[in-house]
Amino acid sequence: KTGNPPRHFHPTNTKHDVGPTAYPGLTGQDYCDTQMSVMDILRNKPCPEMPNLKMIHAEHDDYFDQAYQQYKGDPYKAGFRKLPAWFGYATEPAWQIFMGGDGSGATLHWHAAALNILYIGTKQWHITPPHHRGFTGMTVQDVTNVIRDEPFVVKCTQRPGDLFYIPDFWGHMTVNHGFGIGVAAIVSTSHRLYMGSIVMD
């Protein structure tokens, strides 16, 4: 342990926005009106407005100095060392950190290419090629029931230390098995260098 305790990620003292998927506004869902601590999320504390749904928290890199305290806030030293060599980008990728309890997850969505590392927990992925991608406000459990037996769905399990690459515009959804914490880097096509030129979206 180094430096000061990570106040933003304190198990009980700091409260976070939570919802039934990572970014509810993107899929027509609502955030829970009640913020929750890390321990609330770990224990699957019910949201009063939607008690049957599992809550998850996601945020950008405002507190990476605490999340990666031992690396002075630098995620490249903690699982993303090859990111610049693999992509070669003109500006920083969009970073995010996420945590959720058992049964929580991100519903079906898509975006530019991303690398996802899992530090704690086990995560089930359902991945679809671009022509089967989609956005939905359905819960992760309902989406799983709809697509899990489709022949175009790639299913895989992510364990602690696994780094997953999701290509551009591939649909994906996740479900946590147990409490999970991970970090993702989304690299927009406009931030990559190809043959000496910047490719614009």
Side-chain angles (χ1 to χ4, degrees):
K1 296 181 179 179
T2 60
N4 298 318
R7 289 177 294 174
H8 182 71
F9 300 104
H10 190 280
T12 57
N13 290 353
T14 305
K15 305 294 185 177
H16 305 276
D17 292 330
V18 295
T21 191
Y23 294 101
L26 295 178
T27 50
Q29 296 166 299
D30 295 319
Y31 280 95
C32 180
D33 289 341
T34 303
Q35 292 186 314
M36 296 187 184
S37 68
V38 174
M39 289 303 296
D40 292 335
I41 297 168
L42 183 151
R43 294 170 177 160
N44 268 335
K45 178 181 177 179
C47 172
E49 307 92 73
M50 32 189 145
N52 296 323
L53 301 181
K54 308 297 184 181
M55 297 292 106
I56 189 170
H57 168 71
E59 64 179 73
H60 295 290
D61 58 353
D62 295 340
Y63 295 95
F64 267 24
D65 59 330
Q66 295 181 43
Y68 289 111
Q69 190 176 94
Q70 66 270 46
Y71 300 113
K72 298 182 179 179
D74 186 356
Y76 295 113
K77 296 178 180 177
F80 293 93
R81 293 177 180 85
K82 292 291 186 179
L83 186 59
W86 288 341
F87 285 97
Y89 46 79
T91 61
E92 279 288 295
W95 294 99
Q96 57 185 258
I97 186 168
F98 42 85
M99 63 183 82
D102 184 51
S104 68
T107 195
L108 185 66
H109 65 289
W110 57 271
H111 43 64
L115 287 161
N116 291 263
I117 193 167
L118 190 65
Y119 293 119
I120 296 173
T122 301
K123 182 173 292 189
Q124 186 72 39
W125 289 75
H126 289 72
I127 305 168
T128 68
H131 57 282
H132 289 292
R133 68 190 182 191
F135 270 98
T136 181
M138 296 170 65
T139 67
V140 293
Q141 291 78 15
D142 287 344
V143 176
T144 300
N145 291 335
V146 170
I147 71 171
R148 65 184 168 194
D149 295 324
E150 295 291 344
F152 54 80
V153 175
V154 177
K155 289 172 278 190
C156 47
T157 301
Q158 186 180 25
R159 295 181 173 84
D162 289 344
L163 180 68
F164 275 22
Y165 171 67
I166 305 297
D168 284 318
F169 316 132
W170 280 60
H172 51 285
M173 59 158 291
T174 63
V175 182
N176 288 308
H177 297 301
F179 179 66
I181 299 177
V183 168
I186 300 175
V187 188
S188 169
T189 54
S190 63
H191 294 167
R192 294 182 228 157
L193 298 176
Y194 292 101
M195 303 298 290
S197 300
I198 298 178
V199 177
M200 303 302 294
D201 285 329

